[in-house]
C-alpha cells in the first residue's frame, strides 16, 4: 500500500477516505522494503497464509496477502484477462469451434481461467514454479473448470517450448 517514505498520518487519511467514499472497512497493510534493509521483504512462508478469494468479471481467484511479494493477481492486467476470454469466445463464434490456448510464464493461471471460461477446448498452463502451478490449479478448480482438458506443466517455458516444437501441434492462441 505504501513504501517506507509514507508516514502514518497519510495512511490514516487514506483509510478515512476509502471508508467514507467506498465503504471499505477492512485493510491489510503490506509494506515493501529494500531487500538490503529487510531480506524477508518478499514474504515469510513460515507465517500462516492470509488467503482470500476475490471475484473479477465473474471469475474467482485465490490471493495470498502475506507470503509473497505479490498477491497472485495483478490488478492492472484485469482488462487483458477479460480480453483473453472475449477473444476465445469470439473465435468460437466465428469459426464454429473452440481453440487450444497456451499460457506461458503463467504465474497463477488467471489467463487460463479466462480462456477456459471463454470456451477454450483446452488450456495448457506452463510456469517454472511448482508453487504457481499448484496455485493455478486451485484457481481453475474454484471456477469449476478443472478437468483433463486443462493441463498444468511445471517447466522452464523456453526449454519446454523447444521440446514441444517437434512433437506437438501448435496452439491457436497464446495470451
Amino acid at each position: 500500500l505504501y513504501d517506507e517514505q509514507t508516514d502514518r498520518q497519510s495512511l490514516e487519511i487514506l483509510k478515512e477516505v476509502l471508508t467514507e467514499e467506498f465503504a471499505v472497512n477492512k485493510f491489510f497493510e503490506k509494506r515493501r522494503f529494500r531487500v538490503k534493509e529487510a531480506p524477508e521483504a518478499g514474504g515469510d512462508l513460515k507465517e500462516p497464509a492470509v488467503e482470500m478469494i476475490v471475484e473479477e468479471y465473474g471469475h474467482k481467484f485465490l490471493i495470498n496477502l502475506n507470503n509473497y511479494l505479490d498477491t497472485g493477481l495483478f490488478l492492472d492486467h484485469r482488462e487483458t484477462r477479460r480480453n483473453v476470454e472475449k477473444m476465445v469466445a469470439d473465435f468460437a463464434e466465428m469459426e464454429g469451434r473452440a481453440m487450444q490456448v497456451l499460457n506461458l510464464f503463467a504465474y497463477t493461471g488467471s489467463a487460463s481461467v479466462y480462456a477456459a471460461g471463454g470456451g477454450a477446448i483446452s488450456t495448457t498452463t506452463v510456469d517454472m514454479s511448482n508453487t504457481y502451478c499448484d496455485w493455478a490449479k486451485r484457481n481453475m478448480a474454484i471456477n469449476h473448470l478443472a478437468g483433463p482438458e486443462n493441463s498444468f506443466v511445471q517447466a522452464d517455458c523456453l526449454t519446454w517450448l523447444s521440446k514441444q516444437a517437434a512433437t506437438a501441434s501448435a496452439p491457436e492462441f497464446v495470451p
Side-chain angles (χ1 to χ4, degrees):
L1 181 61
Y2 66 97
D3 63 27
E4 63 268 23
Q5 302 299 318
T6 306
D7 65 2
R8 178 61 56 187
Q9 184 178 11
S10 296
L11 181 61
E12 294 306 317
I13 291 169
L14 177 62
K15 286 180 177 179
E16 283 179 32
V17 170
L18 290 170
T19 300
E20 290 172 13
E21 296 296 321
F22 301 103
V24 174
N25 59 8
K26 292 183 181 179
F27 298 91
F28 185 88
E29 185 176 330
K30 183 170 189 168
R31 299 186 74 190
R32 291 188 178 188
F33 300 90
R34 288 187 183 94
V35 173
K36 66 181 180 183
E37 295 171 7
E40 73 284 355
D44 186 353
L45 295 176
K46 296 176 199 150
E47 291 295 317
V50 178
E51 294 180 334
M52 62 187 303
I53 294 174
V54 297
E55 190 168 328
E56 177 184 84
Y57 298 125
H59 299 291
K60 295 176 182 174
F61 298 97
L62 177 69
I63 63 170
N64 182 315
L65 297 174
N66 66 317
N67 291 132
Y68 305 96
L69 186 60
D70 296 304
T71 63
L73 191 67
F74 294 116
L75 185 60
D76 57 327
H77 294 180
R78 68 187 177 281
E79 293 305 319
T80 302
R81 289 188 291 270
R82 189 163 139 176
N83 286 336
V84 166
E85 182 173 52
K86 184 177 182 340
M87 291 169 76
V88 170
D90 288 351
F91 177 89
E93 186 176 317
M94 291 184 337
E95 298 294 322
R97 63 182 181 81
M99 66 167 59
Q100 299 173 21
V101 177
L102 173 60
N103 183 8
L104 298 171
F105 308 97
Y107 190 39
T108 60
S110 57
S112 298
V113 168
Y114 273 88
I121 193 167
S122 67
T123 64
T124 302
T125 303
V126 185
D127 197 275
M128 183 178 271
S129 166
N130 271 326
T131 297
Y132 292 132
C133 283
D134 289 343
W135 198 331
K137 289 174 189 175
R138 291 175 71 190
N139 278 332
M140 199 66 83
I142 62 175
N143 285 282
H144 309 289
L145 297 169
E149 68 279 7
N150 297 309
S151 62
F152 303 87
V153 179
Q154 184 276 314
D156 175 274
C157 290
L158 299 178
T159 302
W160 183 84
L161 271 176
S162 67
K163 290 178 182 176
Q164 294 300 308
T167 62
S169 61
E172 296 165 296
F173 184 54
V174 182

